[in-house]
Amino acid sequence: MVNKFEKDYLVVAQNASGRNMNVPLYRFKGSKPGPKVYIQSSIHGAEVQGNVVIYHLINTLKTTPICGEVTLVPNCNPVGTNIKAGEYTLGRFDPINGTNWNRGYYFDEALVERFVDTVDDEEPLEKVKSRFRKVLKQKIDEKLQETWGLGLAQQLNLKLQQLAFDADIVIDLHNGPVSTRHIYVPEYAKDSAKLFNIPHVILIPNTFAGALDEATFCHWWTLQNLLRAKRNSDINVDVEAFTLEMGSQEVISFDEGRYDADSILCYLGAKNCLESNTYFPKSMRRVAVTLDNYKILYTRQGGIVDYLAAPGDQVKKGQALARVLNVDELENDRASQVIEAPCDLIPILHFPSASVLSGTQLYKCFTDYFELTE
């Protein structure tokens, strides 16, 4: 093995019998300095494809010399993975507290502001970053020791965040319900979207909504902006974080996993994480939207749905997206209704079931999208 390899375990929860629930940590360390990378998968129990991606990454890193360090955490939420109801995995929410497993991470803008007040104008940036990591991880330690305790989802999130915050690159692997590939990218890292082989890009602002990528880049983005103002210079903290959505949940594909692993390696190669880079992004059409133009189409009526537009299709205004069957009206012309696209759009994902209630998030769509140039 060309890189130093370590395998460890992190205790993320205890079951009702008091037994620890562990997740494996796979670490590869190169012989040369370079960025630290953190990649996790399956924070939502039904989103399992990331584990196959990590399998391929591990096999590649066994023989590919790296610069820096790569930490891989597959199946980071074993509780969610094991919440089953018949044939389905219901692992999106903590079953005890109802919390989304991906919304319990920590961000504190005031903490960043207080920290910047302690930074001397002559302090080297690398020392600033090192101190900042210690301050934030200490704050997470304090939260984990709170007198009144924390819900399971937040405990899990904070333990993972401590691992992730050491990294310069954080990648959180997800899947949609029925979905095409897409990626969430902080607006300041827009150019990095072109380093992945992913055709659909969502550009997100410096606004925290609870997810791991936001908990990473919002801290660093805020720090960077405050330091730039304080020092009146174009400081770059060189930390990026992404959420990769690699297709549909509840299924895996080793071939598709290889594609996504290679896509990640294209990005890592461009970021000087590989000693000798042989991975390069494909020349492909990439379209992007700002987060406010990533729209949810809700159903006005319940029924049984035929999804006519597939994720990734380009759909024109007025074109049929879906057809809804109403079983109480089968004998008349109200038996079915067509749901039309309210504007030109690209559906990115849709609800996984054919049976829907009124007010269901039927599709999530790109609107007012634009191409990212090579």
Side-chain angles (χ1 to χ4, degrees), residues 264-295:
I264 292 170
L265 289 165
C266 290
Y267 170 80
L268 296 182
K271 295 297 180 178
N272 301 313
C273 299
L274 308 179
E275 273 195 32
S276 179
N277 185 27
T278 59
Y279 295 89
F280 301 97
K282 296 178 181 294
S283 178
M284 63 189 301
R285 182 173 184 258
R286 295 174 176 85
V287 295
V289 292
T290 55
L291 185 61
D292 58 342
N293 286 316
Y294 185 42
K295 302 290 190 181

Side-chain angles (χ1 to χ4, degrees), residues 299-307 323-328 335 351 353-360 362:
T299 54
R300 296 182 183 275
Q301 66 279 337
I304 302 171
V305 178
D306 180 9
Y307 297 95
R323 189 173 184 180
V324 183
L325 181 68
N326 183 343
V327 296
D328 278 350
F351 193 65
S353 174
S355 302
V356 302
L357 302 172
S358 60
T360 295
L362 194 68

Side-chain angles (χ1 to χ4, degrees), residues 183 185 188-196 240 242 267 271:
I183 181 172
V185 177
Y188 73 84
K190 175 181 174 181
D191 288 343
S192 290
K194 294 176 283 189
L195 302 176
F196 295 91
E240 295 183 347
F242 311 94
Y267 170 80
K271 295 297 180 178

Side-chain angles (χ1 to χ4, degrees), residues 7-18:
K7 183 178 181 181
D8 202 353
Y9 292 89
L10 175 69
V11 178
V12 294
Q14 286 186 323
N15 64 20
S17 300

Side-chain angles (χ1 to χ4, degrees), residues 135-200:
V135 167
L136 187 114
K137 290 170 69 178
Q138 176 61 39
K139 185 64 177 180
I140 293 176
D141 268 335
E142 293 172 6
K143 291 185 72 65
L144 285 167
Q145 301 302 319
E146 282 188 359
T147 302
W148 293 93
L150 298 170
L152 177 56
Q154 191 172 16
Q155 290 182 44
L156 171 65
N157 285 172
L158 293 177
K159 290 177 180 179
L160 295 171
Q161 187 177 355
Q162 280 193 315
L163 289 174
F165 209 74
D166 270 334
D168 305 294
I169 294 166
V170 174
I171 299 176
D172 196 8
L173 304 180
H174 284 254
N175 298 90
V178 178
S179 175
T180 189
R181 286 185 178 90
H182 55 292
I183 181 172
Y184 290 85
V185 177
E187 290 174 352
Y188 73 84
K190 175 181 174 181
D191 288 343
S192 290
K194 294 176 283 189
L195 302 176
F196 295 91
N197 296 325
I198 298 178
H200 304 103

Side-chain angles (χ1 to χ4, degrees), residues 4-252:
K4 182 181 179 183
F5 173 71
E6 298 175 353
K7 183 178 181 181
D8 202 353
Y9 292 89
L10 175 69
V11 178
V12 294
Q14 286 186 323
N15 64 20
S17 300
R19 296 189 181 94
N20 287 343
M21 301 186 75
N22 303 318
V23 298
L25 310 178
Y26 299 87
R27 286 196 178 94
F28 292 87
K29 296 182 180 180
S31 60
K32 296 181 179 179
K36 287 187 175 182
V37 180
Y38 175 88
I39 303 174
Q40 71 176 31
S41 69
S42 294
I43 192 66
H44 291 136
E47 300 176 18
V48 290
Q49 177 65 13
N51 300 308
V52 183
V53 176
I54 288 179
Y55 162 79
H56 285 298
L57 288 172
I58 287 171
N59 282 328
T60 299
L61 296 178
K62 288 178 181 178
T63 58
T64 302
I66 65 171
C67 301
E69 181 179 322
V70 178
T71 298
L72 302 150
V73 188
N75 198 36
C76 68
N77 180 8
V79 181
T81 303
N82 286 284
I83 302 172
K84 307 291 287 189
E87 300 169 357
Y88 301 100
T89 307
L90 303 181
R92 189 169 186 82
F93 301 97
D94 175 350
I96 306 302
N97 304 307
T99 308
N100 186 322
W101 290 111
N102 193 39
R103 293 295 182 271
Y105 297 99
Y106 167 73
F107 171 68
D108 185 350
E109 184 172 359
L111 178 144
V112 186
E113 293 171 348
R114 291 193 299 272
F115 174 81
V116 170
D117 288 340
T118 73
V119 177
D120 184 89
D121 286 345
E122 304 301 320
E123 185 176 2
L125 181 59
E126 287 307 310
K127 184 178 178 182
V128 173
K129 291 169 64 176
S130 178
R131 282 204 306 115
F132 186 53
R133 286 188 164 103
K134 289 178 181 177
V135 167
L136 187 114
K137 290 170 69 178
Q138 176 61 39
K139 185 64 177 180
I140 293 176
D141 268 335
E142 293 172 6
K143 291 185 72 65
L144 285 167
Q145 301 302 319
E146 282 188 359
T147 302
W148 293 93
L150 298 170
L152 177 56
Q154 191 172 16
Q155 290 182 44
L156 171 65
N157 285 172
L158 293 177
K159 290 177 180 179
L160 295 171
Q161 187 177 355
Q162 280 193 315
L163 289 174
F165 209 74
D166 270 334
D168 305 294
I169 294 166
V170 174
I171 299 176
D172 196 8
L173 304 180
H174 284 254
N175 298 90
V178 178
S179 175
T180 189
R181 286 185 178 90
H182 55 292
I183 181 172
Y184 290 85
V185 177
E187 290 174 352
Y188 73 84
K190 175 181 174 181
D191 288 343
S192 290
K194 294 176 283 189
L195 302 176
F196 295 91
N197 296 325
I198 298 178
H200 304 103
V201 178
I202 303 166
L203 300 172
I204 47 180
N206 190 17
T207 303
F208 180 65
L212 177 63
D213 58 344
E214 298 159 345
T216 303
F217 74 69
C218 283
H219 279 112
W220 290 107
W221 192 344
T222 303
L223 176 68
Q224 178 174 282
N225 288 341
L226 292 173
L227 286 176
R228 285 179 173 182
K230 183 171 186 174
R231 294 185 173 181
N232 194 27
S233 62
D234 192 22
I235 292 169
N236 189 343
V237 295
D238 288 323
V239 177
E240 295 183 347
F242 311 94
T243 292
L244 273 62
E245 303 271 359
M246 300 165 299
S248 303
Q249 63 190 27
E250 290 278 42
V251 294
I252 69 166

